[in-house]
PDB file of all heavy atoms in Angstrom:
ATOM      1  N   TYR N 140      75.855  54.294 -51.062  1.00  0.00           N
ATOM      2  CA  TYR N 140      74.581  54.751 -50.506  1.00  0.00           C
ATOM      3  C   TYR N 140      73.386  54.471 -51.408  1.00  0.00           C
ATOM      4  O   TYR N 140      72.248  54.514 -50.958  1.00  0.00           O
ATOM      5  CB  TYR N 140      74.655  56.252 -50.241  1.00  0.00           C
ATOM      6  CG  TYR N 140      74.820  57.098 -51.486  1.00  0.00           C
ATOM      7  CD1 TYR N 140      73.708  57.526 -52.199  1.00  0.00           C
ATOM      8  CD2 TYR N 140      76.080  57.449 -51.971  1.00  0.00           C
ATOM      9  CE1 TYR N 140      73.864  58.286 -53.347  1.00  0.00           C
ATOM     10  CE2 TYR N 140      76.234  58.196 -53.126  1.00  0.00           C
ATOM     11  CZ  TYR N 140      75.118  58.620 -53.818  1.00  0.00           C
ATOM     12  OH  TYR N 140      75.256  59.346 -54.957  1.00  0.00           O
ATOM     13  N   LEU N 144      69.135  54.818 -50.546  1.00  0.00           N
ATOM     14  CA  LEU N 144      68.714  56.202 -50.786  1.00  0.00           C
ATOM     15  C   LEU N 144      67.310  56.550 -50.283  1.00  0.00           C
ATOM     16  O   LEU N 144      67.133  57.546 -49.590  1.00  0.00           O
ATOM     17  CB  LEU N 144      68.860  56.507 -52.277  1.00  0.00           C
ATOM     18  CG  LEU N 144      69.115  57.944 -52.677  1.00  0.00           C
ATOM     19  CD1 LEU N 144      70.129  58.595 -51.790  1.00  0.00           C
ATOM     20  CD2 LEU N 144      69.572  57.997 -54.118  1.00  0.00           C
ATOM     21  N   GLN N 149      67.529  63.235 -46.942  1.00  0.00           N
ATOM     22  CA  GLN N 149      68.005  63.852 -48.179  1.00  0.00           C
ATOM     23  C   GLN N 149      69.057  64.925 -47.929  1.00  0.00           C
ATOM     24  O   GLN N 149      70.034  65.024 -48.655  1.00  0.00           O
ATOM     25  CB  GLN N 149      66.817  64.470 -48.929  1.00  0.00           C
ATOM     26  CG  GLN N 149      65.887  63.447 -49.533  1.00  0.00           C
ATOM     27  CD  GLN N 149      66.641  62.430 -50.333  1.00  0.00           C
ATOM     28  OE1 GLN N 149      67.316  62.765 -51.297  1.00  0.00           O
ATOM     29  NE2 GLN N 149      66.574  61.172 -49.927  1.00  0.00           N
ATOM     30  N   VAL N 152      72.383  63.316 -47.326  1.00  0.00           N
ATOM     31  CA  VAL N 152      72.896  62.680 -48.541  1.00  0.00           C
ATOM     32  C   VAL N 152      73.405  63.738 -49.513  1.00  0.00           C
ATOM     33  O   VAL N 152      74.534  63.643 -50.026  1.00  0.00           O
ATOM     34  CB  VAL N 152      71.798  61.823 -49.219  1.00  0.00           C
ATOM     35  CG1 VAL N 152      72.260  61.355 -50.583  1.00  0.00           C
ATOM     36  CG2 VAL N 152      71.436  60.651 -48.340  1.00  0.00           C
ATOM     37  N   LEU N 153      72.591  64.766 -49.756  1.00  0.00           N
ATOM     38  CA  LEU N 153      72.975  65.774 -50.753  1.00  0.00           C
ATOM     39  C   LEU N 153      74.259  66.484 -50.350  1.00  0.00           C
ATOM     40  O   LEU N 153      75.145  66.710 -51.163  1.00  0.00           O
ATOM     41  CB  LEU N 153      71.837  66.779 -50.935  1.00  0.00           C
ATOM     42  CG  LEU N 153      70.561  66.203 -51.561  1.00  0.00           C
ATOM     43  CD1 LEU N 153      69.457  67.242 -51.618  1.00  0.00           C
ATOM     44  CD2 LEU N 153      70.828  65.657 -52.952  1.00  0.00           C
ATOM     45  N   GLU N 154      74.348  66.823 -49.062  1.00  0.00           N
ATOM     46  CA  GLU N 154      75.540  67.524 -48.608  1.00  0.00           C
ATOM     47  C   GLU N 154      76.791  66.645 -48.765  1.00  0.00           C
ATOM     48  O   GLU N 154      77.819  67.089 -49.237  1.00  0.00           O
ATOM     49  CB  GLU N 154      75.354  67.947 -47.140  1.00  0.00           C
ATOM     50  CG  GLU N 154      76.465  68.817 -46.568  1.00  0.00           C
ATOM     51  CD  GLU N 154      76.697  70.065 -47.396  1.00  0.00           C
ATOM     52  OE1 GLU N 154      75.764  70.521 -48.082  1.00  0.00           O
ATOM     53  OE2 GLU N 154      77.837  70.574 -47.380  1.00  0.00           O
ATOM     54  N   VAL N 156      77.155  64.038 -50.763  1.00  0.00           N
ATOM     55  CA  VAL N 156      77.437  63.770 -52.173  1.00  0.00           C
ATOM     56  C   VAL N 156      78.111  64.993 -52.796  1.00  0.00           C
ATOM     57  O   VAL N 156      79.063  64.878 -53.555  1.00  0.00           O
ATOM     58  CB  VAL N 156      76.144  63.408 -52.928  1.00  0.00           C
ATOM     59  CG1 VAL N 156      76.384  63.428 -54.420  1.00  0.00           C
ATOM     60  CG2 VAL N 156      75.640  62.052 -52.497  1.00  0.00           C
ATOM     61  N   ARG N 157      77.623  66.163 -52.434  1.00  0.00           N
ATOM     62  CA  ARG N 157      78.221  67.397 -52.991  1.00  0.00           C
ATOM     63  C   ARG N 157      79.695  67.447 -52.595  1.00  0.00           C
ATOM     64  O   ARG N 157      80.570  67.717 -53.425  1.00  0.00           O
ATOM     65  CB  ARG N 157      77.491  68.602 -52.419  1.00  0.00           C
ATOM     66  CG  ARG N 157      78.193  69.890 -52.708  1.00  0.00           C
ATOM     67  CD  ARG N 157      77.466  71.090 -52.133  1.00  0.00           C
ATOM     68  NE  ARG N 157      78.353  72.236 -52.154  1.00  0.00           N
ATOM     69  CZ  ARG N 157      78.965  72.726 -51.071  1.00  0.00           C
ATOM     70  NH1 ARG N 157      78.765  72.171 -49.897  1.00  0.00           N
ATOM     71  NH2 ARG N 157      79.770  73.754 -51.169  1.00  0.00           N
ATOM     72  N   LYS N 158      79.981  67.179 -51.331  1.00  0.00           N
ATOM     73  CA  LYS N 158      81.368  67.225 -50.856  1.00  0.00           C
ATOM     74  C   LYS N 158      82.198  66.115 -51.484  1.00  0.00           C
ATOM     75  O   LYS N 158      83.388  66.286 -51.711  1.00  0.00           O
ATOM     76  CB  LYS N 158      81.398  67.094 -49.336  1.00  0.00           C
ATOM     77  CG  LYS N 158      80.819  68.301 -48.635  1.00  0.00           C
ATOM     78  CD  LYS N 158      81.774  68.866 -47.600  1.00  0.00           C
ATOM     79  CE  LYS N 158      81.332  70.216 -47.088  1.00  0.00           C
ATOM     80  NZ  LYS N 158      80.429  70.104 -45.943  1.00  0.00           N
ATOM     81  N   GLY N 159      81.541  64.986 -51.736  1.00  0.00           N
ATOM     82  CA  GLY N 159      82.274  63.843 -52.274  1.00  0.00           C
ATOM     83  C   GLY N 159      82.655  64.025 -53.732  1.00  0.00           C
ATOM     84  O   GLY N 159      83.445  63.256 -54.269  1.00  0.00           O
ATOM     85  N   GLY N 160      82.090  65.031 -54.393  1.00  0.00           N
ATOM     86  CA  GLY N 160      82.460  65.313 -55.786  1.00  0.00           C
ATOM     87  C   GLY N 160      81.803  64.423 -56.799  1.00  0.00           C
ATOM     88  O   GLY N 160      81.292  63.380 -56.522  1.00  0.00           O
TER      89      GLY N 160
ATOM     90  N   VAL Q 125      84.067  73.303 -54.153  1.00  0.00           N
ATOM     91  CA  VAL Q 125      83.116  72.887 -53.111  1.00  0.00           C
ATOM     92  C   VAL Q 125      83.662  73.280 -51.740  1.00  0.00           C
ATOM     93  O   VAL Q 125      82.959  73.796 -50.885  1.00  0.00           O
ATOM     94  CB  VAL Q 125      82.861  71.370 -53.183  1.00  0.00           C
ATOM     95  CG1 VAL Q 125      82.114  70.906 -51.947  1.00  0.00           C
ATOM     96  CG2 VAL Q 125      82.074  71.036 -54.435  1.00  0.00           C
ATOM     97  N   ASP Q 130      80.759  76.965 -55.343  1.00  0.00           N
ATOM     98  CA  ASP Q 130      79.561  76.504 -56.048  1.00  0.00           C
ATOM     99  C   ASP Q 130      78.311  77.171 -55.505  1.00  0.00           C
ATOM    100  O   ASP Q 130      77.500  77.698 -56.253  1.00  0.00           O
ATOM    101  CB  ASP Q 130      79.445  74.963 -55.987  1.00  0.00           C
ATOM    102  CG  ASP Q 130      79.492  74.420 -54.557  1.00  0.00           C
ATOM    103  OD1 ASP Q 130      79.937  75.155 -53.668  1.00  0.00           O
ATOM    104  OD2 ASP Q 130      79.078  73.258 -54.363  1.00  0.00           O
ATOM    105  N   GLN Q 131      78.203  77.198 -54.174  1.00  0.00           N
ATOM    106  CA  GLN Q 131      76.987  77.765 -53.580  1.00  0.00           C
ATOM    107  C   GLN Q 131      76.931  79.281 -53.738  1.00  0.00           C
ATOM    108  O   GLN Q 131      75.897  79.832 -54.096  1.00  0.00           O
ATOM    109  CB  GLN Q 131      76.919  77.403 -52.092  1.00  0.00           C
ATOM    110  CG  GLN Q 131      76.595  75.937 -51.880  1.00  0.00           C
ATOM    111  CD  GLN Q 131      76.787  75.500 -50.444  1.00  0.00           C
ATOM    112  OE1 GLN Q 131      77.532  76.115 -49.685  1.00  0.00           O
ATOM    113  NE2 GLN Q 131      76.128  74.418 -50.071  1.00  0.00           N
ATOM    114  N   SER Q 164      81.255  67.282 -61.170  1.00  0.00           N
ATOM    115  CA  SER Q 164      80.566  66.039 -61.515  1.00  0.00           C
ATOM    116  C   SER Q 164      79.062  66.308 -61.521  1.00  0.00           C
ATOM    117  O   SER Q 164      78.558  67.154 -60.790  1.00  0.00           O
ATOM    118  CB  SER Q 164      80.890  64.948 -60.500  1.00  0.00           C
ATOM    119  OG  SER Q 164      79.912  64.879 -59.504  1.00  0.00           O
ATOM    120  N   ALA Q 170      73.427  67.349 -56.332  1.00  0.00           N
ATOM    121  CA  ALA Q 170      73.294  67.376 -54.872  1.00  0.00           C
ATOM    122  C   ALA Q 170      73.276  68.813 -54.372  1.00  0.00           C
ATOM    123  O   ALA Q 170      72.452  69.192 -53.542  1.00  0.00           O
ATOM    124  CB  ALA Q 170      74.441  66.606 -54.224  1.00  0.00           C
ATOM    125  N   LEU Q 173      69.968  70.548 -55.455  1.00  0.00           N
ATOM    126  CA  LEU Q 173      68.803  70.007 -54.741  1.00  0.00           C
ATOM    127  C   LEU Q 173      68.799  70.478 -53.291  1.00  0.00           C
ATOM    128  O   LEU Q 173      67.749  70.681 -52.697  1.00  0.00           O
ATOM    129  CB  LEU Q 173      68.791  68.472 -54.793  1.00  0.00           C
ATOM    130  CG  LEU Q 173      68.352  67.853 -56.117  1.00  0.00           C
ATOM    131  CD1 LEU Q 173      68.404  66.326 -56.035  1.00  0.00           C
ATOM    132  CD2 LEU Q 173      66.938  68.289 -56.510  1.00  0.00           C
ATOM    133  N   THR Q 174      69.984  70.664 -52.736  1.00  0.00           N
ATOM    134  CA  THR Q 174      70.056  71.194 -51.367  1.00  0.00           C
ATOM    135  C   THR Q 174      69.426  72.570 -51.306  1.00  0.00           C
ATOM    136  O   THR Q 174      68.726  72.923 -50.365  1.00  0.00           O
ATOM    137  CB  THR Q 174      71.527  71.282 -50.911  1.00  0.00           C
ATOM    138  OG1 THR Q 174      72.171  70.063 -51.205  1.00  0.00           O
ATOM    139  CG2 THR Q 174      71.629  71.559 -49.437  1.00  0.00           C
ATOM    140  N   SER Q 327      87.320  61.028 -56.134  1.00  0.00           N
ATOM    141  CA  SER Q 327      86.520  59.951 -56.736  1.00  0.00           C
ATOM    142  C   SER Q 327      87.407  59.049 -57.592  1.00  0.00           C
ATOM    143  O   SER Q 327      87.287  59.013 -58.814  1.00  0.00           O
ATOM    144  CB  SER Q 327      85.405  60.527 -57.588  1.00  0.00           C
ATOM    145  OG  SER Q 327      84.635  61.420 -56.856  1.00  0.00           O
ATOM    146  N   ALA Q 436      68.804  59.371 -59.508  1.00  0.00           N
ATOM    147  CA  ALA Q 436      68.533  58.667 -58.255  1.00  0.00           C
ATOM    148  C   ALA Q 436      68.341  59.661 -57.109  1.00  0.00           C
ATOM    149  O   ALA Q 436      67.424  59.553 -56.299  1.00  0.00           O
ATOM    150  CB  ALA Q 436      69.663  57.698 -57.924  1.00  0.00           C
ATOM    151  N   ALA Q 440      64.887  60.379 -55.020  1.00  0.00           N
ATOM    152  CA  ALA Q 440      64.840  60.169 -53.569  1.00  0.00           C
ATOM    153  C   ALA Q 440      64.255  61.355 -52.822  1.00  0.00           C
ATOM    154  O   ALA Q 440      63.912  61.239 -51.652  1.00  0.00           O
ATOM    155  CB  ALA Q 440      66.244  59.870 -53.038  1.00  0.00           C
TER     156      ALA Q 440
END
Side-chain angles (χ1 to χ4, degrees):
Chain N
Y140 65 88
L144 207 44
Q149 289 310 300
V152 171
L153 294 176
E154 186 55 26
V156 168
R157 169 180 166 256
K158 291 233 169 88
Chain Q
V125 169
D130 54 342
Q131 288 169 337
S164 95
L173 284 179
T174 312
S327 306

